[in-house]
Amino acid sequence: MHAKITSLEDKLRQELDRHYGRLFETYPQLENLGLVAKSPQDDPIWLPSRLPLKEVEELNVTDLWEAESQLRIGQAYDAIRDLRKALGLRSWWSRHVKAQNDSQMTKTKGQSSLLACRAKVREASRIYSICYHWLHKMAPGLAKRFGFQELKAQDLVLLNDWLEGGRYRTNEGRLPWIWTLQAPVDSPSDPPATLSPADASASSASMPPSSLENIVETWRNEYYVHAAAASERWIEEVEILRYEMVRIYRWFRYQALWWAWVADERATVEDEDGSTHPATDPEWASMDQATRGSVAYASRKFSLFVSLANHASEEFIPVMGQGVWDEVWKGPTAADANDGMGIN
C-alpha cells in the first residue's frame, strides 16, 4: 500500500510540473508571480480568482478568470442536483425509519441509509455554499443571472412535506428556490431562469399555473418517483427478510422436533401386550450397537438444531422487534394457503 501511494504521488508531482510548464508557456506573464510546483499535498493549485480583478486585467488572464467562473457555475448546478437527489431519498428513509417498530434495539440498514443521506445533504450544501459565496463576491452579476441564492436551513425541506396534500398549490408557502432553479438556455442578456431573491417570499399563486405545474411535474418525475421506487423496493426487501427470518427459525425448530421424535422412537421398547415404554437402563444396555448409535446420532442432531433455533431467535428478534416477530409468527403460512386451496 505504501509503495502504491508513493507511486501515485510521483505521478501527481509529474503532472503538476507539466501543468505549470504549460501554464507559463501559454501565459509567460505569470512567471513573475513566483508560482512553482509543490508536493501534491501542499500545492494550492493556483486559480485566477486568487488575484484582484484589477491585476487579472493587467496580466491579461481574463479568459482564465472566465473559465473558472464557468467551472464554479457548473459545480454549483451539480451541487444543487446532488442536493435534490439526497433530499428526495432522505424524505423516504425518514418515513421508513419512523415506521419501524419501536422495540428494535439494533441499528438497521434503514437508519444507516438515512445517516448517509444526511451526510450527502451536508456535503452538497457545503460545496454549493463555497461556489455561491465565490460568485457573489467575484461575479455578482453572474450569480444573479443564473438564479443562485444563499442556501438557508429552511430551504432544505423534505419532498413529501411539499408534495403531500397539494400544498404547493396553496398559499401556505412555496417551494424553496432549489426546486425551481433552472439554468438559462438562451443569450446572457436574458433574465434569470428562476425567481429573484426579492420574490422569494411571494406566494406560489403568483406564478403562472402552467409554469408551476411544469416545475412540479419535472420535480415529481426526476426526483420524487425515483425516490419512491427506491424506498418501496427497500420496504419490500425488508418484508421478505422478516418472513425469511421466521421461516428459518421454524425450520430449525421443526428439525429439532423431528430428530427428538426419531431418538424417542428408537429408544422405545414394545411390551408383549403391544404397548410401548421408554427403555430402562438394563434394556438400553442390552440393545445392539446399531440401535444405540442411531439414538446417539438422532440426539446429537436434536441438540444441534435446538442450538441453531435458539441462536436464530436471539439474533432475529432484536432486529425485527418483538411486536413484528409476533405479527409475522401468527401470520398465514404456506400450509395455511395450501389448506385454503384444497391442497394436501
Side-chain angles (χ1 to χ4, degrees):
M1 179 61 72
H2 179 72
K4 186 176 182 179
I5 293 176
T6 303
S7 176
L8 291 174
E9 287 182 352
D10 292 339
K11 290 182 180 179
L12 284 174
R13 189 176 290 105
Q14 294 172 8
E15 288 298 326
L16 284 172
D17 290 336
R18 281 193 286 268
H19 164 71
Y20 281 101
R22 290 190 296 265
L23 182 65
F24 296 147
E25 182 179 349
T26 308
Y27 299 95
Q29 64 270 34
L30 296 179
E31 291 189 56
N32 297 329
L33 298 179
L35 301 176
V36 293
K38 299 181 181 179
S39 63
Q41 303 95 312
D42 301 325
D43 196 291
I45 305 180
W46 181 85
L47 296 172
S49 60
R50 298 180 183 275
L51 300 175
L53 291 178
K54 183 178 180 180
E55 191 170 351
V56 169
E57 295 176 356
E58 291 175 353
L59 291 173
N60 194 25
V61 290
T62 53
D63 54 341
L64 285 180
W65 188 91
E66 291 173 357
E68 181 183 353
S69 300
Q70 293 298 320
L71 290 174
R72 298 273 188 179
I73 291 170
Q75 190 177 26
Y77 276 115
D78 287 343
I80 291 296
R81 180 199 60 197
D82 295 340
L83 187 59
R84 289 170 175 172
K85 183 177 180 181
L87 284 171
L89 290 174
R90 193 182 77 173
S91 76
W92 286 102
W93 283 122
S94 298
R95 177 180 297 182
H96 173 68
V97 171
K98 289 179 181 179
Q100 289 179 331
N101 194 285
D102 293 336
S103 62
Q104 288 179 311
M105 304 299 294
T106 308
K107 187 176 180 179
T108 65
K109 180 66 179 295
Q111 293 170 333
S112 300
S113 298
L114 177 58
L115 292 176
C117 288
R118 289 173 176 170
K120 291 178 180 178
V121 169
R122 290 194 297 270
E123 179 63 13
S125 301
R126 184 187 68 84
I127 293 174
Y128 171 79
S129 296
I130 292 174
C131 295
Y132 169 75
H133 288 301
W134 185 92
L135 289 168
H136 182 68
K137 178 181 179 181
M138 305 296 295
L142 279 178
K144 183 178 181 181
R145 177 193 175 277
F146 283 91
F148 296 136
Q149 303 179 28
E150 184 176 1
L151 190 62
K152 300 178 181 179
Q154 56 265 34
D155 296 326
L156 306 179
V157 297
L158 302 183
L159 287 177
N160 54 293
D161 292 343
W162 288 94
L163 190 63
E164 289 183 351
R167 283 185 57 195
Y168 60 88
R169 301 175 187 269
T170 69
N171 292 328
E172 296 179 9
R174 62 173 303 112
L175 287 171
W177 65 270
I178 61 173
W179 299 108
T180 60
L181 179 68
Q182 300 179 51
V185 294
D186 296 319
S187 64
S189 61
D190 291 335
T194 185
L195 299 176
S196 64
D199 296 330
S201 60
S203 166
S204 59
S206 63
M207 294 181 63
S210 59
S211 175
L212 181 60
E213 293 296 332
N214 290 337
I215 289 173
V216 173
E217 186 62 26
T218 302
W219 166 39
R220 185 197 301 271
N221 294 337
E222 187 172 356
Y223 303 105
Y224 186 86
V225 172
H226 292 290
S231 175
E232 290 172 0
R233 284 197 302 270
W234 174 255
I235 292 174
E236 182 181 3
E237 290 293 333
V238 169
E239 194 68 15
I240 291 173
L241 285 176
R242 285 174 176 172
Y243 280 88
E244 186 68 11
M245 289 177 182
V246 173
R247 190 194 69 80
I248 290 173
Y249 174 76
R250 287 183 189 273
W251 190 80
F252 286 156
R253 194 181 72 151
Y254 168 79
Q255 290 292 320
L257 294 174
W258 165 259
W259 286 109
W261 176 84
V262 171
D264 184 67
E265 192 271 339
R266 297 293 176 86
T268 298
V269 177
E270 185 176 357
D271 298 327
E272 295 179 356
D273 58 359
S275 60
T276 59
H277 67 274
T280 61
D281 289 343
E283 291 172 334
W284 173 258
S286 63
M287 290 183 177
D288 59 273
Q289 291 185 353
T291 302
R292 287 191 291 175
S294 64
V295 172
Y297 179 81
S299 299
R300 183 163 183 172
K301 283 286 190 179
F302 165 76
S303 177
L304 171 65
F305 283 105
V306 165
S307 176
L308 290 173
N310 290 337
H311 180 71
S313 63
E314 291 171 359
E315 292 292 327
F316 295 161
I317 293 178
V319 172
M320 293 177 59
Q322 187 64 52
V324 176
W325 178 272
D326 294 340
E327 178 183 350
V328 177
W329 180 266
K330 297 174 184 178
T333 62
D336 297 332
N338 292 340
D339 290 343
M341 299 173 61
I343 301 175
N344 295 325

